[in-house]
Amino acid sequence: MKTIRLSIVGFGVVGQGLAELVASKQELLRQQFDLEVALVSVANARHGFIYRENGLDIPLLLELAAQRRPLTEHPGVVGWAQPLDGLLATGDDVLAEATGTNLRDAEPGMSHIRGALMHGIHVITANKGPIALAAHELMGLAKQRNLQLRMESTVMAGTPVISTLREGVAGASVRSIRGILNGTTNYILSAMASGRDYADVLAEAQAQGYAEADPTADVEGYDAVAKILILAALVFGQTLRPDQVVRQGITHVTRDQMLQALREGKRIKLIGSLFFNENEQLQARVEPITLPEQEVLAQIEGVMNALTFEADTLSQVTIVGPGAGRLQTGQGLLADLIAVSRTIA
C-alpha cells in the first residue's frame, strides 16, 4: 500500500471539498488504487498552517471550519503563521493549492506553488491565477525537478477537460476551442431567455449562492479570461497576458436582446474562444455571442459549463459538465492526486 502525505493550503470551500472526498473515498482509494492518503497539514488565511505527523482528523477539521472555529483547536498540532514556512518545514509529498484566484500577480498561490516545487513537493491546484499567468514557468520548474504539476480543476472543476485535451487526445492537433466557462453568467443568461431582467436574475443568483456579493469577476468575464489563458498555455503552448484577450461581459445584455434572439431561433451565451486567424496568430476572446439554437453550446442551460474543440483527427468534440462546486472542484483535485500518486515510488 502506497501512502501519500497531503497538505491542503487554502481550506475554504474547495479545500474542504477535497478533504471531504479524501475521507469519504478512503476505501475506494485503497481497493482500486492501492493508495492511502494521509492529510497531515492544512492552512487558511485566518489560522495559519497546522500540522500533525500521523494525520489530521478530517471530520473534526470540517466541523471546526463549518463552525468558523480556529483550526488550531485540533488536538496535537503544531503551527506556523505562514503556510509556506510550514510546508517547507514538514516536507509533505503533495501540495493541494486552493487559495483564491488573483489575476494581478497570482499571489499567494504563486509563491506556494513555486516554493513547493523548489523543495521537491508535487503540486495539484485549483487556483487559476498561477497557471493563467505563469503556466510555462511553473511547468518548466516541475519538469526540471522531475515533479508533477497538475491543474484539472482550474478550468471546469471536476469535468475532465484539461486531461482530455492534454492526454485523452494526445497526438491530435487542436485548432480551435470555444466554450461556456462560467456557470454564473450562463445561469443569468439562461434565466433572461425566459423574459426576465438582468438585475432580477443576478439578485436571485446571489441569493442561491451562484454569484458572489461582488459578481464582477463572473459577469464582466474575468473568470472566463483566466480559463482562456490557461487553455492557451496548456493546449497551444502560448503565454498570453490578460489584456491580450478581447473581453466583454454580460452586464449590457438586455432582456429585449435575449427575446429577439429567441424569436430568430438563437440564444445568447458568454463564449470564451481560442482560434488562429488567417496569419496563424492565436486569437483569444471572451464575449456574448448569438448562437443558432441547434448548436450544442446554445443548448447548455443553468450553471452547467461546456467546451467544444476541433482537431485534425476528431473534427468536433464537446465536453459538458459542472464547472464549479465544492465536491465537483474537489473531484478534479482528487483525480490529479491519484494521477500524481502513480508517479511516486
Side-chain angles (χ1 to χ4, degrees):
M1 182 80 65
K2 183 183 297 184
T3 299
I4 298 293
R5 291 163 53 83
L6 173 67
S7 175
I8 301 176
V9 174
F11 203 62
V13 171
V14 173
Q16 291 171 39
L18 173 60
E20 183 177 339
L21 287 176
V22 167
S24 65
K25 300 280 187 177
Q26 285 181 352
E27 192 58 34
L28 179 147
L29 293 173
R30 294 188 189 105
Q31 291 184 358
Q32 292 192 13
F33 303 102
D34 198 30
L35 179 63
E36 186 87 36
V37 177
L39 178 60
V40 295
S41 57
V42 300
N44 65 16
R46 294 194 306 276
H47 310 127
F49 183 98
I50 63 166
Y51 170 80
R52 187 165 178 253
E53 173 69 28
N54 59 347
L56 296 163
D57 182 328
I58 295 177
L60 174 58
L61 272 181
L62 294 173
E63 181 182 346
L64 292 172
Q67 297 174 1
R68 301 184 68 81
R69 291 161 55 192
L71 301 181
T72 49
E73 289 185 14
H74 188 298
V77 299
V78 293
W80 287 261
Q82 298 301 319
L84 189 56
D85 293 340
L87 186 68
L88 301 186
T90 55
D92 304 326
D93 296 316
V94 180
L95 163 66
E97 216 293 332
T99 59
T101 292
N102 163 15
L103 278 183
R104 295 182 304 277
D105 59 10
E107 294 296 351
M110 182 78 83
S111 292
H112 296 158
I113 294 173
R114 190 182 282 133
L117 293 173
M118 289 289 292
H119 287 80
I121 300 170
H122 300 275
V123 177
I124 59 178
T125 184
N127 188 339
K128 295 181 285 291
I131 309 304
L133 299 186
H136 288 152
E137 176 208 331
L138 296 174
M139 290 190 297
L141 180 58
K143 183 176 181 180
Q144 176 187 343
R145 303 281 172 149
N146 198 28
L147 296 166
Q148 289 284 304
L149 169 61
R150 299 185 68 92
M151 65 290 291
E152 185 65 74
S153 292
T154 59
V155 173
M156 277 175 54
T159 303
V161 293
I162 290 179
S163 55
T164 297
L165 286 163
R166 299 189 71 199
E167 299 161 12
V169 295
S173 294
V174 177
R175 294 297 301 168
S176 68
I177 290 174
R178 65 197 316 233
I180 295 170
L181 299 174
N182 182 270
T184 300
T185 51
N186 202 51
Y187 176 88
I188 292 171
L189 292 175
S190 297
M192 287 178 67
S194 65
R196 301 176 60 190
D197 285 322
Y198 169 82
D200 291 340
V201 178
L202 173 60
E204 177 182 276
Q206 290 170 321
Q208 295 189 13
Y210 295 142
E212 300 289 342
D214 178 1
T216 303
D218 293 324
V219 300
E220 293 293 356
Y222 293 106
D223 176 70
V225 165
K227 295 169 181 178
I228 284 295
L229 294 174
I230 291 168
L231 291 169
L234 299 184
V235 180
F236 297 105
Q238 296 198 28
T239 300
L240 301 179
R241 301 185 310 272
D243 62 9
Q244 290 178 290
V245 182
V246 175
R247 177 192 56 80
Q248 181 183 349
I250 67 166
T251 54
H252 298 297
V253 177
T254 67
R255 177 179 61 179
D256 288 345
Q257 289 173 323
M258 298 294 294
L259 294 178
Q260 179 62 32
L262 280 175
R263 286 191 290 270
E264 296 173 357
K266 300 176 181 178
R267 301 295 296 271
I268 298 175
K269 297 291 184 180
L270 185 70
I271 301 294
S273 58
L274 289 162
F275 58 94
F276 292 97
N277 64 16
E278 62 275 9
N279 298 318
E280 287 299 299
Q281 295 172 321
L282 186 65
Q283 306 294 293
R285 305 180 69 93
V286 171
E287 60 198 331
I289 293 180
T290 303
L291 304 172
E293 63 183 6
Q294 64 268 26
E295 186 169 328
V296 174
L297 294 181
Q299 300 169 27
I300 305 303
E301 300 289 354
V303 295
M304 295 296 280
N305 283 192
L307 185 137
T308 295
F309 65 90
E310 294 186 0
D312 57 347
T313 53
L314 287 172
S315 184
Q316 192 174 92
V317 176
T318 300
I319 305 166
V320 180
R326 173 187 173 106
L327 294 182
Q328 292 86 345
T329 308
Q331 169 58 41
L333 287 168
L334 180 64
D336 279 346
L337 179 62
I338 292 168
V340 169
S341 75
R342 296 189 177 108
T343 72
I344 297 177

